[in-house]
Amino acid sequence: MRIVHKLSDLRRAVAGLRGDGAAVALVPTMGALHAGHMALVEAAQASGAKVVASIFVNPKQFGPTEDLARYPRPAEADTKLLTEHGCDLLWMPGVDEMYPAGFATNVSVSGVSDGLDGAARPGHFDGVATVVAKLFNQVRPDAAYFGEKDFQQLAVIRRMVADLDFGLEIVGVPTVRESDGLALSSRNAYLSADERARAVALPLALTAAKRATEAGERGAIPAAMASLAAAGFAIDYVELVDAATLGEPVPGRPRRLLAAARIGTTRLIDNLPVAASTNV
Ligand code: PAF
C-alpha cells in the first residue's frame, strides 16, 4: 500500500489507480482503526473499486473542551491493518496540508445538522462537512463509505452531496459490534474495565426501546433513559426520529432511534433502525 502526505502526490497516485479504468472508492477515517473501519474497506473492495483510505484527525470537528489532544493516533498499527486488508492507497495529510494558512471556508449543512449531536456539539458537523467536502475534492472518488454508527454524520454527508452536486455515491455500512452488542468505536479505548462492563447498557437500552416502540408500547424512551442512568451514564439524548431527515417521525416512513451518553469522561453514541408505523 502506498502512503502519501502531499496533495500533489495524492493526485498522481489516484490517477495511477484509475489508469486501467478502475473506479475509486474512498474510506475517510480519523485513524485508530478497528474492525468497523475494516468493514468499510471490505465493502468498498467488494464493489470492485480501488480503495483509498484517509487518516486525518480533523481539528475542525472537535469543540474546545473535546478530546482532540488525547484522540488516539496509532499510525503504525493503522498502516499495518490497512496493508493487511489490501487497501490500495493511504492519504495521510498533516493539518497544514489540509488547512493551509489563510484557509477560510466553512461548509454548513442546515436542518439535518441542527439537533441531536449538532445541538450537543455546536460546530461539529460544520467541521465534518468541511473536511469531507475537501476529501471528496482531493480524491474525487466514485463512491465513499461511511459507518452507520455515526448515523447523523451519514445523513449530513448525504444532504451535502445532494445539495452540492458532488456526483458520487455515498454508501452506509452497518455498525460492527462487540459480542455483547457494544458498537465498535475508536473512543472505546478510553473506557476503564469497569466503564467497559457498564457500557453495554447503551445497546441494551436501545434494543429494548426499539422492540417496545415497534410493539406500539408507550414510554420506551423514558425507560431507556432510566436504564442508562442506572448504569451510570450521563445522557445527552435518546430520540426517535425520521430516518432520512432526522426530524419528527412521519407515519409510514422508516424511523431511527439515536442515543448519546457519557460514561466517565467518554462520550458514546449508538443507533438502531425502527420499523415504520402508521401511527407515530
Ligand atoms: O467518522 C469519522 O471518522 C470522521 O468524522 C470523518 C468522516 C473521517 C471526518 O473527519
Side-chain angles (χ1 to χ4, degrees):
M1 179 184 67
R2 179 143 181 237
I3 305 174
V4 289
H5 302 280
K6 297 279 168 220
L7 188 51
S8 49
D9 294 335
L10 175 76
R11 294 227 193 271
R12 270 193 295 274
V14 173
L17 291 180
R18 285 197 183 281
D20 53 2
V24 168
L26 174 65
V27 177
T29 83
M30 296 205 303
L33 303 176
H34 50 65
H37 297 108
M38 293 309 113
L40 305 181
V41 170
E42 284 160 18
Q45 286 168 332
S47 75
K50 300 281 187 192
V51 179
V52 180
S54 64
I55 296 181
F56 178 66
V57 181
N58 175 31
K60 289 197 184 293
Q61 68 189 76
F62 288 78
T65 60
E66 293 184 352
D67 56 346
L68 174 62
R70 75 162 176 158
Y71 198 84
R73 291 163 171 89
E76 228 174 275
D78 285 350
T79 308
K80 187 164 176 279
L81 205 53
L82 288 168
T83 305
E84 284 166 1
H85 277 76
C87 183
D88 296 287
L89 178 64
L90 173 58
W91 169 221
M92 256 181 127
V95 174
D96 293 346
E97 188 73 5
M98 187 61 88
Y99 301 121
F103 184 87
T105 297
N106 183 53
V107 180
S108 188
V109 183
S110 60
V112 74
S113 294
D114 296 343
L116 305 162
D117 258 37
R121 304 179 67 190
H124 170 67
F125 287 118
D126 284 13
V128 170
T130 302
V131 81
V132 170
K134 284 197 61 119
L135 289 166
F136 289 169
N137 283 330
Q138 291 165 346
V139 179
R140 299 187 187 152
D142 299 283
Y145 289 69
F146 295 89
E148 286 185 348
K149 188 184 78 75
D150 295 286
F151 196 79
Q152 189 174 11
Q153 167 173 283
L154 183 56
V156 168
I157 291 165
R158 284 192 197 285
R159 185 74 261 159
M160 176 184 79
V161 164
D163 289 353
L164 298 184
D165 307 314
F166 270 102
L168 77 157
E169 186 191 1
I170 300 299
V171 183
V173 176
T175 303
V176 179
R177 297 179 181 278
E178 303 275 10
S179 55
D180 66 356
L182 182 68
L184 294 192
S185 165
S186 306
R187 289 188 166 97
N188 292 353
Y190 300 151
L191 298 171
S192 68
D194 170 60
E195 288 165 349
R196 171 64 189 85
R198 288 185 288 128
V200 70
L202 182 56
L204 289 179
L206 283 180
T207 304
K210 165 190 165 73
R211 288 201 185 119
T213 305
E214 288 177 341
E217 292 168 22
R218 297 206 169 271
I221 288 184
M225 288 178 152
S227 57
L228 287 174
F233 274 99
I235 300 161
D236 272 358
Y237 59 81
V238 181
E239 278 187 44
L240 181 69
V241 296
D242 178 85
T245 64
L246 307 193
E248 285 291 308
V250 175
R253 289 203 359 202
R255 296 171 289 174
R256 201 89 185 183
L257 185 60
L258 294 96
R262 289 164 211 276
I263 191 156
T265 57
T266 307
R267 185 173 188 275
L268 300 178
I269 58 172
D270 201 352
N271 66 87
L272 286 177
V274 176
S277 161
T278 46
N279 52 348
V280 285

